[in-house]
Amino acid sequence: MFVSQKLVNWSNSYWERVTRNIGPITYKEQEIIRTSRVAVLGVGGLGGPLAENLVRAGCQNLVICDFDVFDESNLNRQICTIEDIGKRKIDVMETFLCKIDPEVAIKKFFKITENNIDAVLEGVKVVALTLDDPATSIFIARECRKRVIPMVESWGVPFLFTWWFTPNSVDYENCYSLDTYHYSYLELVNMKKRDQPCNMSSSVAESVYDTRSQRKVRQRTGGLRRDDGG
């Protein structure tokens, strides 16, 4: 199974990149990293560096999605240069990641909808949710739970922290105390277009933000039990 201390299905270039990983992790674990499909949904200030570090760690099977383009406000924290202003984030990230590892396989999506969610999550082993779109985040969380796909969500505000959601953990909407169970994804997306007393997307976003803030403060002061979060 091994040739010159590397797996036979590893190229020489791949082996040179990951050789220092062996020890802290095993050959078998490195192969899991290489072959497991990871979806990074949102490649901005958090998802971009995450995708970069996954590829540097040896992951060769990525799904990336982002509906945005780079602008100058992104230059202080995201993987872009002045030359990338106005370009789609997923296109810039694909080029960047392939320069780190030309062997990496990348599926990219500009947005996530009910029509393409099957393609987005096909074969995915874990989802990293780093979007700033609350309606789509709820939809993805529901789909991951339904498909038994672990999902990790990370935010940089108000503090840098992470939630881990599995089929056995509290669900996404319950974690953030969202009263959205009775809304379909389409209803959440289109709420602003309907004659409603408030902007549903804005309300959901504010609720998520407030809940994250409260939970993080409680966690820092020892008031958050492990089973309170995802």
Side-chain angles (χ1 to χ4, degrees):
M1 189 174 184
F2 297 87
V3 176
S4 301
Q5 294 185 301
K6 73 178 181 68
L7 297 185
V8 294
N9 53 343
W10 292 0
S11 67
N12 289 332
S13 176
Y14 184 81
W15 169 240
E16 288 298 324
R17 288 196 300 275
V18 304
T19 182
R20 295 189 180 185
N21 294 0
I22 306 304
I25 63 175
T26 66
Y27 287 92
K28 182 178 180 180
E29 289 168 335
Q30 183 64 55
E31 178 65 359
I32 292 173
I33 291 174
R34 187 183 77 85
T35 59
S36 296
R37 181 170 294 174
V38 180
V40 182
L41 307 182
V43 289
L46 289 174
L50 173 60
E52 175 187 359
N53 281 285
L54 281 168
V55 172
R56 292 190 187 279
C59 178
Q60 291 189 322
N61 198 349
L62 281 181
V63 176
I64 60 174
C65 177
D66 202 300
F67 61 87
D68 207 357
V69 298
F70 283 115
D71 60 43
E72 290 191 9
S73 69
N74 301 140
L75 289 170
N76 69 334
R77 68 198 183 282
Q78 299 190 22
I79 299 176
C80 62
T81 67
I82 291 177
E83 295 179 352
D84 300 320
I85 302 304
K87 297 179 181 179
R88 299 200 308 182
K89 292 183 178 182
I90 53 173
D91 295 335
V92 173
M93 283 302 304
E94 179 185 37
T95 300
F96 175 75
L97 296 175
C98 288
K99 288 181 179 179
I100 298 172
D101 182 0
E103 300 174 359
V104 64
I106 299 175
K107 290 177 63 178
K108 59 182 182 178
F109 297 87
F110 188 61
K111 62 181 179 179
I112 294 175
T113 68
E114 290 179 309
N115 293 329
N116 71 357
I117 189 64
D118 289 339
V120 172
L121 296 180
E122 180 183 8
V124 168
K125 299 299 184 182
V126 63
V127 167
L129 180 61
T130 55
L131 294 174
D132 56 6
D133 177 353
T136 302
S137 295
I138 290 170
F139 174 59
I140 292 167
R142 290 175 179 175
E143 289 295 319
C144 285
R145 193 173 186 87
K146 181 173 70 176
R147 300 163 192 258
V148 198
I149 301 174
M151 184 186 82
V152 59
E153 183 188 36
S154 184
W155 279 73
V157 292
F159 307 102
L160 180 62
F161 68 103
T162 300
W163 295 118
W164 179 248
F165 297 96
T166 73
N168 297 320
S169 75
V170 65
D171 67 87
Y172 185 87
E173 289 159 277
N174 187 37
C175 176
Y176 293 128
S177 302
L178 299 176
D179 185 21
T180 52
Y181 290 98
H182 55 291
Y183 290 104
S184 69
Y185 173 53
L186 188 60
E187 287 173 329
L188 288 172
V189 171
N190 292 332
M191 192 65 68
K192 185 177 180 180
K193 301 177 182 178
R194 299 177 182 176
D195 187 19
Q196 297 292 329
C198 65
N199 181 343
M200 184 62 187
S201 295
S202 177
S203 298
V204 171
E206 291 174 3
S207 179
V208 171
Y209 181 88
D210 290 343
T211 305
R212 288 183 179 123
S213 302
Q214 293 166 11
R215 287 186 181 276
K216 191 59 181 180
V217 170
R218 287 164 55 201
Q219 187 181 52
R220 286 191 160 207
T221 57
L224 177 62
R225 300 191 308 275
R226 191 169 185 83
D227 59 355
D228 283 336

